[in-house]
Amino acid sequence: MVKTISIQRIGENPTITLERLYKYVLRTLPLRIRFNRGVDEQYLIDNTIEKYLYYHPVWVANTLVIAERPPLTPKILKQRIFIDAISGYRGLVSKSLPLKSVDVDRNLLESHQIVESNEVEKYVKDVQVKQINRSYLLKKPQHEIKELQLVYLPLWRIKVKSTIINKVFVINANTGEAENYIYQR
């Protein structure tokens, strides 16, 4: 059985390498721990009991918003909507997502709960009605889904256990931002 699978990964290359990872973990610590002189990158490295890169599934919908403006031509805007494929958390993506096709080990992929396209379309409609339509006061626009795509967000999971810190950190491998909300879901 083939252990690798080809996926669409968000981001060109994970920019947060193992060498730079602990700098970002240190930034996510509360101030009271960060100002402790004994806690630095080497302390985190020494007390790490688990660390690995894994891929979190996210649905991305490319949509069109068609606003009628009689007697003018309709205004057509492109919108990109994301849906977390595990929790259903959803919203608008403000900029374009660079995608790269990569082969990864199947064990590094988190399994997604939202599998079928009709389920995904329900979440997309919710974003269209509750977020996009709010900016139109009078006549609400028409919406059209152009493409649905399952992509994966690379995340670092680091477990640190010591007398001072006993926590699991989830760091976005593209930006270095803490993704604790995704981990808690």
Side-chain angles (χ1 to χ4, degrees):
M1 185 172 154
V2 178
K3 288 201 144 219
T4 62
I5 186 171
S6 183
I7 62 165
Q8 290 290 319
R9 182 185 66 204
I10 298 173
E12 293 298 317
N13 285 318
T15 55
I16 310 303
T17 59
L18 273 173
E19 294 80 34
R20 296 177 49 215
L21 178 62
Y22 288 98
K23 179 175 100 175
Y24 293 100
V25 172
L26 199 57
R27 286 184 187 172
T28 66
L29 291 172
L31 285 175
R32 63 178 174 76
I33 295 175
R34 217 181 318 166
F35 286 130
N36 184 336
R37 292 188 191 272
V39 177
D40 59 359
E41 289 182 39
Q42 190 59 48
Y43 179 84
L44 293 172
I45 292 169
D46 293 342
N47 291 290
T48 298
I49 58 174
E50 178 181 77
K51 72 176 171 230
Y52 58 90
L53 181 69
Y54 72 98
Y55 296 90
H56 187 85
V58 177
W59 285 98
V60 175
N62 294 320
T63 66
L64 293 178
V65 179
I66 305 163
E68 296 289 330
R69 308 178 310 165
L72 303 171
T73 59
K75 186 174 183 180
I76 300 174
L77 298 171
K78 293 180 181 178
Q79 287 284 346
R80 186 166 284 147
I81 298 170
F82 75 91
I83 297 103
D84 185 330
I86 295 175
S87 68
Y89 179 73
R90 55 204 167 272
L92 294 169
V93 178
S94 58
K95 54 185 177 181
S96 95
L97 299 172
L99 298 176
K100 183 178 183 181
S101 184
V102 294
D103 293 330
V104 297
D105 188 343
R106 285 182 188 271
N107 297 331
L108 297 177
L109 300 179
E110 267 192 308
S111 62
H112 48 288
Q113 307 298 320
I114 302 170
V115 181
E116 299 192 22
S117 62
N118 60 353
E119 283 182 87
V120 177
E121 288 174 10
K122 252 187 353 188
Y123 289 110
V124 170
K125 295 277 185 217
D126 182 63
V127 172
Q128 291 169 335
V129 169
K130 292 184 179 171
Q131 293 183 28
I132 297 173
N133 284 358
R134 284 191 348 200
S135 62
Y136 292 89
L137 296 176
L138 299 173
K139 188 174 181 184
K140 303 303 180 195
Q142 297 174 9
H143 299 279
E144 189 178 315
I145 299 173
K146 288 306 230 181
E147 178 186 21
L148 280 175
Q149 187 175 17
L150 183 65
V151 297
Y152 290 86
L153 177 65
L155 299 172
W156 283 103
R157 184 180 189 275
I158 304 100
K159 186 172 185 179
V160 177
K161 187 169 184 159
S162 70
T163 56
I164 301 172
I165 305 167
N166 185 14
K167 187 174 178 181
V168 174
F169 298 93
V170 177
I171 306 291
N172 185 322
N174 292 320
T175 63
E177 297 293 320
E179 297 287 355
N180 294 333
Y181 187 77
I182 289 175
Y183 176 69
Q184 292 169 354
R185 290 277 177 160

